Amino acid sequence: MAAEIVNPRSDIVTDSDAGEFDPAFALHRGGKMAVQATVPIRDKDDLSLAYTPGVARVCTAIAEQPDLVNDYTWKSSVVAVVTDGTAVLGLGDIGPEASLPVMEGKAILFKQFGGVDAVPIALACTGVDEIIETVVRLAPSFGGVNLEDISAPRCFEIERRLQEQLDIPVFHDDQHGTAVVTLAALRNAARLTGRGLGELRGVISGAGAAGVAIAKFLLEAGLGDVAVADRKGIVSADRDDLTPVKRELAELTNKAGLTGSLESALAGADVFIGVSGGTVPEAAVASMAKDAFVFAMANPDPEVHPDVAHKYAAVVATGRSDFPNQINNVLAFPGIFAGALQVRASRITEGMKIAAADALAAVVGDDLAADYVIPSPFDPRVAPAVTAAVAAAARAEGVARR
């Protein structure tokens, strides 16, 4: 008899014999990952080398020369995937236990697409100081820290302070992974239509972790202008309800001085980037400039359905795998960490992220088309290209240690 798939929601407790088999529960039963030894222990001689007494000689050497930990342990090739469960996918604040399936998924994506080992760590705390202290204490075991699904605005301070205190890369993927892939797709969309980034004006829906990071990163890469909208409209300097993060954003963005709604800002805009959910009216999309780009990345429902976007836009991208041009973080973070770990980088710089985006865009090459401005995560060229570019940029920027 088939095993029951246990779930606390009674409406989806299923049993394959009852004709209600749910393959997601079947795949997740027992977890999606395990620890595997890289050396054999076949007899007492192997045991004496892998553990006592042989291990003592290695420990003593590391105590005398701490950098040897990178050569004689897994530290230099493993990443901690850390969350507090407060902003999980589209599910929100579901807590650390419920976040674990996502963190396990992230860990196996690191391995599958970048050859990087990763360990999911779900924390039973949400205070900024508590999270920072916990991660700092865990850091000696890891070569890098990938912050995942931590809600804004806390995520900004947590990442900044951790990078200040640690000498290993700290990377909040919800911010920077999304930004890297967005830039790669935008570069190719601009190339397809014969324009440069500096000629484009963008509008971003969403002033959370992804929206803030994308705005800053695109400007760093040379985008002409971008305005960011939250639930109350365009983030502009004349608003008196802005958080410190949004005040900084208002100073960096919106050179055109736009105020009012997202819809009004889209009039004449070249680029729409959606990272917030909600729905953008068709009339607002129709008001965008000729040969506009619509990157509607909310899951599972894009802010603009591709069928609507294609009526007006030259290039359409989403966050979904069942439409062309999927903006998917898995295109970025495995290779970024693989490159950083390869050279034992102390941090991930803006230059390394831009190098990752440029390498990702270059994979498309001469096959560039409206329905192909970003490669598939399953393209075997992606991770090696990003890895090599990030490693080279780390050396050029002086953060590599080998």
Side-chain angles (χ1 to χ4, degrees), residues 21-196:
F21 177 72
D22 186 333
F25 283 94
L27 183 143
H28 285 79
R29 181 174 287 281
K32 299 191 295 288
M33 57 185 295
V35 175
Q36 180 177 330
T38 59
V39 296
I41 301 180
R42 298 158 298 197
D43 51 37
K44 65 181 181 62
D45 291 333
D46 289 342
L47 181 60
S48 69
L49 289 173
Y51 201 54
T52 186
V55 73
R57 298 197 296 276
V58 180
C59 292
T60 300
I62 294 171
E64 294 173 353
Q65 300 181 57
D67 285 348
L68 292 178
V69 69
N70 294 297
D71 297 312
Y72 294 105
T73 72
W74 77 341
K75 176 181 170 70
S76 63
S77 60
V78 67
V79 171
V81 179
V82 179
T83 189
D84 63 356
T86 56
V88 180
L89 295 177
L91 303 174
D93 186 355
I94 60 175
E97 289 84 1
S99 76
L100 270 176
V102 178
M103 299 311 114
E104 286 184 0
K106 198 78 173 190
I108 64 175
L109 294 178
F110 265 109
K111 189 66 172 179
Q112 176 71 27
F113 293 103
V116 173
D117 288 308
V119 177
I121 298 176
L123 303 179
C125 59
T126 58
V128 169
D129 292 337
E130 290 177 296
I131 291 173
I132 291 169
E133 181 181 5
T134 302
V135 175
V136 168
R137 292 180 185 277
L138 289 170
S141 295
F142 300 99
V145 175
N146 184 84
L147 299 173
E148 189 76 20
D149 293 349
I150 298 173
S151 64
R154 297 173 309 120
C155 59
F156 303 112
E157 181 180 358
I158 289 169
E159 182 192 38
R160 176 183 59 78
R161 287 174 55 188
L162 279 174
Q163 190 61 83
E164 289 172 354
Q165 294 183 46
L166 299 177
D167 65 348
I168 57 176
V170 178
F171 187 84
H172 185 212
D173 189 49
D174 299 325
Q175 293 183 62
H176 309 300
T178 307
V180 165
V181 183
T182 300
L183 174 59
L186 187 58
R187 281 207 192 283
N188 276 339
R191 179 163 69 94
L192 180 70
T193 56
R195 289 176 285 177

Side-chain angles (χ1 to χ4, degrees), residues 48-374:
S48 69
L49 289 173
Y51 201 54
T52 186
V55 73
R57 298 197 296 276
V58 180
C59 292
T60 300
I62 294 171
E64 294 173 353
Q65 300 181 57
D67 285 348
L68 292 178
V69 69
N70 294 297
D71 297 312
Y72 294 105
T73 72
W74 77 341
K75 176 181 170 70
S76 63
S77 60
V78 67
V79 171
V81 179
V82 179
T83 189
D84 63 356
T86 56
V88 180
L89 295 177
L91 303 174
D93 186 355
I94 60 175
E97 289 84 1
S99 76
L100 270 176
V102 178
M103 299 311 114
E104 286 184 0
K106 198 78 173 190
I108 64 175
L109 294 178
F110 265 109
K111 189 66 172 179
Q112 176 71 27
F113 293 103
V116 173
D117 288 308
V119 177
I121 298 176
L123 303 179
C125 59
T126 58
V128 169
D129 292 337
E130 290 177 296
I131 291 173
I132 291 169
E133 181 181 5
T134 302
V135 175
V136 168
R137 292 180 185 277
L138 289 170
S141 295
F142 300 99
V145 175
N146 184 84
L147 299 173
E148 189 76 20
D149 293 349
I150 298 173
S151 64
R154 297 173 309 120
C155 59
F156 303 112
E157 181 180 358
I158 289 169
E159 182 192 38
R160 176 183 59 78
R161 287 174 55 188
L162 279 174
Q163 190 61 83
E164 289 172 354
Q165 294 183 46
L166 299 177
D167 65 348
I168 57 176
V170 178
F171 187 84
H172 185 212
D173 189 49
D174 299 325
Q175 293 183 62
H176 309 300
T178 307
V180 165
V181 183
T182 300
L183 174 59
L186 187 58
R187 281 207 192 283
N188 276 339
R191 179 163 69 94
L192 180 70
T193 56
R195 289 176 285 177
L197 288 185
E199 302 173 56
L200 304 177
R201 177 174 73 83
V203 178
I204 296 175
S205 175
V212 171
I214 291 170
K216 291 181 176 180
F217 192 55
L218 294 184
L219 290 173
E220 179 77 18
L223 186 69
D225 191 16
V226 63
V228 182
D230 61 12
R231 291 182 180 88
K232 297 182 180 180
I234 299 300
V235 175
S236 56
D238 65 328
R239 282 176 48 180
D240 59 6
D241 61 345
L242 300 180
T243 65
V245 169
K246 291 181 182 179
R247 281 200 298 272
E248 180 191 7
L249 189 65
E251 294 173 0
L252 297 172
T253 61
N254 194 20
K255 298 174 187 174
L258 302 175
T259 59
S261 67
L262 167 74
E263 290 81 6
S264 65
L266 282 175
D270 302 290
V271 186
F272 168 75
I273 296 170
V275 284
S276 67
T279 301
V280 176
E282 182 172 346
V285 181
S287 75
M288 295 179 69
K290 184 177 182 294
D291 291 332
F293 313 139
V294 172
F295 294 179
M297 297 187 282
N299 271 311
D301 300 314
E303 294 89 349
V304 183
H305 192 280
D307 291 345
V308 173
H310 278 298
K311 295 180 185 180
Y312 311 103
V315 176
V316 177
T318 72
R320 287 173 45 159
S321 60
D322 54 345
F323 293 110
N325 296 327
Q326 183 189 19
I327 308 292
N328 190 330
N329 287 12
V330 76
L331 288 161
F333 69 80
I336 289 173
F337 267 100
L341 293 174
Q342 185 181 97
V343 298
R344 295 181 189 163
S346 59
R347 59 182 297 139
I348 294 170
T349 66
E350 291 298 299
M352 291 162 72
K353 290 183 287 184
I354 288 175
D358 290 347
L360 186 55
V363 170
V364 169
D366 294 336
D367 295 323
L368 179 65
D371 62 354
Y372 185 55
V373 297
I374 199 76

